[in-house]
Amino acid sequence: MNVIKPLALATALILGGCASETPSTLPQGVTLVESSLTQSGLHIPYEKYQLANGLTVVLHPDNSDPLVHVDVTYHVGSAREQLGKSGFAHFFEHMMFQGSENVADEQHFAMVTESGGTLNGTTNSDRTNYFETVPANQLEKMLWLEADRMGFLLPAITETSFEVQRATVKNERGQRVDNRPYGRLGEMSSYALYPQGHPYSWPVIGWMEELDNGTVDDLRAFFKRWYGPNNATLTIGGSFDKQQVLQWVDKYFGSIPRGPEVNDATKPKVTLDSDRYLTIEDKVSLPVLSIAFPTVYARHEDEAALDLLSDILGGGETSIMYKNLVKSGVAVQAGTGHGCRELACEFSLFVVANAGKMPELSKIEAIVRDSIDEFVERGVSSDDLLKAQVSHEANTLFGLQSVRGKVSTLAYNETFFDTPDLLQADIERYNAVTADDVMRVYNTYIKDKASVIVSVVPQGQTQLQAAAPTVPVRTPIAKETLKHADKVTDTQVADNFDRSKVPGSGAAPQMVVPSLWQQQLANGIEVMGTQSLETPTTTISIALEGGQRLLSADKAGLADLTASMMQESTAKLTTEQMALELEKLGASISVSASGYRTYVSVSTLTKNLDATIELLRQRLFEPAFNQEDFDRVKVQSLQMLQHQSKDAGWLASTAWSRLLFGTDNSVGQPTSGTIESVSKLSLDDVKGFYKQQFHGGNASVILVSDLEQKAIAPKLSWLGDWKGDATPWPELKPMPKLAGNTLYLLDKPGAAQSVIRIGRRAMAFDATGEYFEAGLMNFPLGGAFNSRINLNLREDKGYTYGARSGFNGGPELGSFSAGGSVRADATAASITEFVNELSGFAESGMTAEELAFLQASITQSDALKFETPSQKARFLGQIQRYDLPTNYIEKQGKLIETLTLDELNQVAAKQLDLSQMIILVVGDKNSIEEPLKQLGYDVVSYKL
């Protein structure tokens, strides 16, 4: 069979490239391993070094923005844990932010934030990484911080910090797993797929009861074993002086002793003798079926073909799974995936059943298996391969639009494959896959092979399961059988400098605001654009003023439903045909609605821009609005609303909007609508809203491309023929009166956590007025990680995984809220702490130290604002939407410098008046109502 291959890149692409440098003297103990700065093709320039203690260092020079990204990846994840003590690697992700010998508790977050940077850490089964993005002048400080926790963490691991972070991890599990619909699906599928003792048989976050099995000495021993420099890769990308960076790296990391030797883990082949069935009863409304087959491991020779098989079977609207399950209406969602990790991969299929049509998962399973058989009968077409291969190329490029994306790619490849840059090799291996390869891997790993089939059903409805469970109930490891580590001594390091001294900062980098261009089309549509040379891609955003704001409250969800219909058939192409054409181009055209706007968003490889624009024309001006499409999309919307009604976060957001803005205003309703409102919508309603919304007079356009204005602007001149004036907004109904001292309680039976919101209506958006000032005021209160609210409720009390406060302003309305998800048994206590923090800040304001902190942080963070195409698009979009001067960032900077403590504290006193605030709690009424009543509020039972 002749196979069409994706078009080669139009030009050789060197991401973040720089001129080759002349050889220079390296610091003693630093060895250059390889240099790859000028390689041709798709390439991330880098140099790789190694320190005498085994630390691998990868440098990626990129002077396009005045920032740096630092990543330290340790080759240790949950797969290195001891059976019965799961969650240690993730536990360390938390502990590594709690200070070290020379960094005080919470100082890591404070220093990075004050430097204008961002930071985080992530853990998976195979690695743990910590990273910061900061202005370029802060690099030395970041290296000092990372080195201190690599070599000097043990003195800070105390029994107290250990217990605080154990509580935080439990809160995280409660929020992300136990209190989330389908939250346990992944971990239970892995439990059934892998034999007991396999490193992937337990979840990364750990089993709840095993989070209590470890001791502080176990944790210290785990760190000593796995977190040495010889098991780490330090990757730095951005604007830096190479010689200076290598000197700093040698200074701060070079004296840290090598840890125990680390060998690659074995990759045991996973096989199943027979199908294994498992059932989870959950607080859900839509049954879900998951089928998983064991396959290979990351970068195995069959990985690429299995990835393409996954895309063909279940990747989007052109797939067999979509046609047989979603298009037919028996499912709300369906798809496939081939997730690969270091030791093993899983080929998975999932279906979210349409509970109103076919809730029985046994019938769903039969359709899935028939779909797999159908794939065998029809084979692999040239279009199948083309769209899958181009999609891989496009996803690769779009993932490299930031220094962080490039650094993460280098760090991943070096950690697992000892080769930082595999971009060109990956493109080539996917493009080399043939139809025969896809069929071969299907026959090898899927056909007639056993799998794990997990049914997730509503509580008490096990009759909907695919089959009776055949997997035994998990038996926890007996705690008394576990061995614990002995006391671990601190590492002794000899330095020739004072490591306790915090490095200074270099001169602040000059903020580079994107240069923009503007023009007006023949019909008055404003177009604003900028050039971005990071990747050969183009982003187009068409914003149409209106959205749900054009509607009456009883039509809530119509803007969203219309946006969904705009992604279906056109007059010339069916939904599947349109999807196929876009996939072959590596492009996407999405339509979405918000409270005040409808957005048409286009993303494409620039080499395919012209073809993508032709499809955009159809999407905008020739929607088919078929009854068959409408019936299916409406059912999907109703089913998803039914699903969302089980999610505590959605319940809280919906109730909060209604309480603040009223049920008779469209702004008080969710943009997805309600079951009641969407049920009444018709195809004529959609057609009518399209005529209201899709006017040239409502539209404005943002362009971000590697093309110059003269090359790209003419390609959108046809939008100048778009007819129609701006659509006026209806008048808002009177807003509800907010009764202070009132607590609204929305019952979510059995909830492990409660969602809290405290706040009121506030100002609309403005860039340099009171709204902006209020945001500054809130920064030390609840805007930063190390704000008063988060440190109190998360770090000091252990009530929550995270708590925040903030102002949210739009074109005509705004709100203030403080809140978070907290342990159910700490609901009342958490409200007390929130109120104390708000009232204390209103009465006493911020301190001079907090003012200096916010000034340094927000001012320096400007260096990070304009790196990626999406960041540039948001910047231009805000200027355009609110008719801001192009130098408004400079004006904000002057305000930050000149606003006094008294002025900001006056804002706090005005905006944080608790007598004007209401409280909303979504949680288990039976367990939390009495403690809430004891707080002295008027407790009102609330229902949506």
Side-chain angles (χ1 to χ4, degrees), residues 229-244:
N230 51 306
N231 198 33
T233 298
L234 167 64
T235 309
I236 305 166
S239 180
F240 55 76
D241 177 272
K242 182 182 73 174
Q243 286 303 113
Q244 180 63 79

Side-chain angles (χ1 to χ4, degrees), residues 691-710:
K691 292 178 181 178
Q692 273 188 294
Q693 178 70 101
F694 283 80
H695 289 187
N698 291 328
S700 57
V701 180
I702 297 296
L703 289 169
V704 181
S705 176
D706 60 317
L707 298 178
E708 296 178 346
Q709 177 186 2
K710 63 182 181 182

Side-chain angles (χ1 to χ4, degrees), residues 800-821:
T800 179
Y801 178 57
R804 294 287 193 275
S805 64
F807 292 84
N808 181 30
E812 62 177 350
L813 297 169
S815 64
F816 168 80
S817 68
S821 295

Side-chain angles (χ1 to χ4, degrees), residues 646-664:
K646 304 294 184 179
D647 183 83
W650 185 88
L651 291 171
S653 295
T654 301
W656 189 246
S657 293
R658 289 184 171 187
L659 287 168
L660 291 191
F661 304 118
T663 56
D664 53 355

Side-chain angles (χ1 to χ4, degrees), residues 515-662:
S515 59
L516 55 88
W517 53 264
Q518 302 179 68
Q519 70 179 58
Q520 193 174 79
L521 301 181
N523 56 0
I525 290 179
E526 297 288 342
V527 181
M528 185 176 291
T530 190
Q531 188 176 26
S532 177
L533 299 175
E534 290 287 341
T535 53
T537 57
T538 294
T539 297
I540 305 170
S541 176
I542 302 173
L544 295 129
E545 296 298 329
Q548 183 150 296
R549 182 64 178 84
L550 297 178
L551 302 168
S552 57
D554 63 327
K555 296 290 186 181
L558 178 56
D560 192 65
L561 190 62
T562 303
S564 296
M565 284 296 294
M566 291 287 290
Q567 299 185 108
E568 296 294 328
S569 304
T570 67
K572 297 177 181 176
L573 297 172
T574 66
T575 302
E576 295 78 13
Q577 289 170 336
M578 173 65 84
L580 177 60
E581 294 306 310
L582 287 169
E583 288 171 346
K584 290 193 296 186
L585 297 172
S588 67
I589 302 175
S590 62
V591 187
S592 61
S594 68
Y596 284 87
R597 280 181 157 188
T598 293
Y599 291 96
V600 181
S601 304
V602 181
S603 182
T604 184
L605 302 175
T606 301
K607 67 184 180 183
N608 295 332
L609 178 58
D610 290 344
T612 303
I613 286 177
E614 287 304 310
L615 297 175
L616 174 63
R617 283 177 184 261
Q618 287 192 50
R619 189 70 100 197
L620 276 177
F621 299 145
E622 301 178 56
F625 291 144
N626 295 328
Q627 186 68 48
E628 180 183 2
D629 287 339
F630 175 78
D631 292 340
R632 172 173 40 80
V633 169
K634 180 178 175 179
V635 167
Q636 291 171 352
S637 297
L638 289 169
Q639 291 291 309
M640 291 309 296
L641 284 168
Q642 189 68 36
H643 162 65
Q644 288 174 325
S645 68
K646 304 294 184 179
D647 183 83
W650 185 88
L651 291 171
S653 295
T654 301
W656 189 246
S657 293
R658 289 184 171 187
L659 287 168
L660 291 191
F661 304 118

